[in-house]
Amino acid sequence: MAENNSTHHIVSPKTYLTIILTLMALTGITVWAAFVNLDQFNIVVALVIATCKATLVVLFFMHAKYSPKRTQLVIVAGIFWLAILLFMTMSDYISRVDYRGVRSPFTQVTSPGTRRLA
Amino acid sequence: MHRTGELYGQFKTLEQQKDSANLGMWIFLVTEVMFFGGIMLVYTLNRHVYFPAFAMGSNTLSLKLGGTNTIVLLASSFTMAMAVWSAQVGKRQLISLFLALTILLGFVFFGIKYVEYAQKFHHHLVPGRSFDIFYCSNHPTMCDDIGAEEMETERDELEKAKSLDPDLNSHAQLYYSAYFGMTGLHALHMVIGAGLLVWLLKNSFAGMYTPRWNTPVDTVGLYWHFVDIVWIYLFPLLYLIDRHK
């Protein structure tokens, strides 16, 4: 085929190999980190590592790094809306106070790490 | 109608046509983000309120099986990316090879998931009337796949969790509902993905994908990677709660 219209960036197998090895290593690190006692920060570390892995997949495996700006905008908008969903709802539940004498189980946090249950 | 590489009237170039197809897939994936996001929110809320029960539930999952599945799924994303590359550079045999490998790894994932699910049925950890988080500690002979030492730590943890949460069994059931709901929906997405991959494989045997036109390989690839990303989050959320003793 003489004509090759595609000017798309072709990611090399070498890059893919680097990415997959990094992803495997990060999986090992996240398992290791789960056994280190960081109290409430275990989940933070786990989510930061997971987000690093997801970012690598999106940028390289899904070619977002080489996609048109408008595609990138759609991706960012999606993440932003997800953030609204999680942050707004969680901040509402966590900060909710007793309502007309009804105790919400979501506010019964006594001290960090231990939660009294309804 | 096999319009491979034909330029439709509304587009100026093939490149623009392909970008549009990719954009469409991304918009679908964004709706999927919101779909899984809602479930993640339900999980997060319940984990926040019933933390001891969620930690207990998580510790009854097999880290070995879950970890292996994570590696398998990441590897399948790699082979998928390589299938896309093969199509872009016009290596026809390699497209089929990498697609077949991706399907194979997908089925390895299903196999391991089957073993895990079966174990949960045996251990009475499937939400419903027979759900009993204490089943294995009360009937150790029925759970002989759990080692004596593991059983001892499980008993200690159950004791500890019970002192923090009197209604541990109900709340552990919530954890397992989240577990089956999230992993089940993820597996459903993989079944759909595997179906699409078989379709791609059939077409690639027919030599349909060329550097000029390989849009389906590319867009199904996007879908497959997305399913991988969902698992990247499910693994730490479900398997790694409170693993440190």
Side-chain angles (χ1 to χ4, degrees):
Chain A
M1 202 170 295
E3 128 191 69
N4 184 357
N5 279 3
S6 175
T7 51
H8 271 279
H9 185 95
I10 296 176
V11 182
S12 72
K14 212 175 137 193
T15 309
Y16 285 144
L17 202 63
T18 315
I19 298 300
I20 186 65
L21 291 177
T22 314
L23 288 172
M24 300 279 188
L26 285 172
T27 305
I29 292 171
T30 196
V31 172
W32 171 75
F35 285 94
V36 180
N37 190 353
L38 303 168
D39 199 29
Q40 292 192 314
F41 287 98
N42 274 100
I43 181 65
V44 178
V45 171
L47 286 177
V48 166
I49 295 175
T51 304
C52 288
K53 287 165 78 180
T55 308
L56 286 176
V57 173
V58 169
L59 286 181
F60 295 97
F61 283 179
M62 297 169 97
H63 310 142
K65 190 167 186 259
Y66 313 101
S67 294
K69 285 254 169 4
R70 119 181 55 74
T71 307
Q72 292 174 343
L73 180 67
V74 168
I75 301 168
V76 172
I79 298 165
F80 182 65
W81 249 253
L82 179 69
I84 293 177
L85 175 78
L86 295 176
F87 271 96
M88 297 290 228
T89 318
M90 283 312 289
S91 54
D92 176 38
Y93 272 104
I94 292 171
S95 61
R96 200 165 276 270
V97 290
D98 294 3
Y99 177 70
R100 289 188 188 169
V102 181
R103 280 195 70 81
S104 156
F106 299 104
T107 54
Q108 295 186 9
V109 179
T110 46
S111 67
T114 58
R115 295 181 176 88
R116 202 146 38 82
L117 288 141
Chain B
M1 53 136 229
H2 291 308
R3 293 163 166 170
T4 53
E6 184 185 319
L7 183 64
Y8 294 138
Q10 71 270 39
F11 297 111
K12 266 194 183 144
T13 62
L14 278 173
E15 161 130 36
Q16 188 194 30
Q17 182 168 301
K18 187 172 184 180
D19 281 344
S20 302
N22 275 343
L23 182 64
M25 192 53 177
W26 270 109
I27 288 172
F28 168 69
L29 292 183
V30 165
T31 69
E32 288 273 78
V33 167
M34 298 316 282
F35 172 73
F36 278 101
I39 304 163
M40 297 267 187
L41 178 65
V42 170
Y43 163 89
T44 310
L45 266 179
N46 283 291
R47 176 195 164 118
H48 172 69
V49 185
Y50 307 115
F51 187 77
F54 268 55
M56 189 60 236
S58 177
N59 277 279
T60 53
L61 290 186
S62 164
L63 195 53
K64 223 179 272 170
L65 293 176
T68 313
N69 252 355
T70 308
I71 299 290
V72 167
L73 207 54
L74 286 174
S76 85
S77 249
F78 171 71
T79 54
M80 185 71 231
M82 287 303 290
V84 173
W85 173 80
S86 312
Q88 286 171 335
V89 297
K91 298 193 191 288
R92 289 191 183 188
Q93 265 104 34
L94 279 185
I95 307 175
S96 305
L97 173 73
F98 280 119
L99 286 175
L101 277 175
T102 310
I103 296 169
L104 184 76
L105 287 165
F107 275 88
V108 172
F109 183 93
F110 290 142
I112 295 176
K113 207 77 225 160
Y114 168 78
V115 173
E116 272 193 284
Y117 275 13
Q119 205 178 48
K120 298 305 160 241
F121 274 90
H122 289 309
H123 293 177
H124 287 234
L125 290 174
V126 180
R129 287 172 73 181
S130 67
F131 185 89
D132 185 6
I133 188 84
F134 302 101
Y135 182 79
C136 280
S137 69
N138 291 339
H139 308 85
T141 47
M142 301 298 284
C143 306
D144 45 15
D145 48 336
I146 300 178
E149 203 176 312
E150 279 172 82
M151 189 64 93
E152 213 41 60
T153 34
E154 192 176 314
R155 280 215 183 88
D156 288 349
E157 281 168 39
L158 277 169
E159 210 51 52
K160 220 171 69 193
K162 186 123 181 59
S163 65
L164 289 168
D165 181 357
D167 200 4
L168 185 68
N169 201 48
S170 313
H171 300 147
Q173 202 165 174
L174 273 177
Y175 169 80
Y176 265 100
S177 301
Y179 168 77
F180 280 105
M182 290 159 106
T183 57
L185 279 170
H186 175 263
L188 175 69
H189 278 78
M190 283 195 64
V191 170
I192 295 167
L196 291 169
L197 284 169
V198 170
W199 169 69
L200 285 185
L201 187 62
K202 192 194 109 212
N203 286 349
S204 92
F205 276 139
M208 207 181 271
Y209 304 125
T210 60
R212 189 181 143 89
W213 187 76
N214 49 56
T215 307
V217 187
D218 217 18
T219 41
V220 171
L222 287 178
Y223 175 83
W224 191 260
H225 296 312
F226 169 77
V227 177
D228 189 29
I229 290 175
V230 172
W231 185 262
I232 284 175
Y233 280 98
L234 288 189
F235 175 61
L237 287 181
L238 293 171
Y239 288 79
L240 299 177
I241 310 177
D242 220 21
R243 283 280 176 182
H244 56 85
K245 300 293 177 296

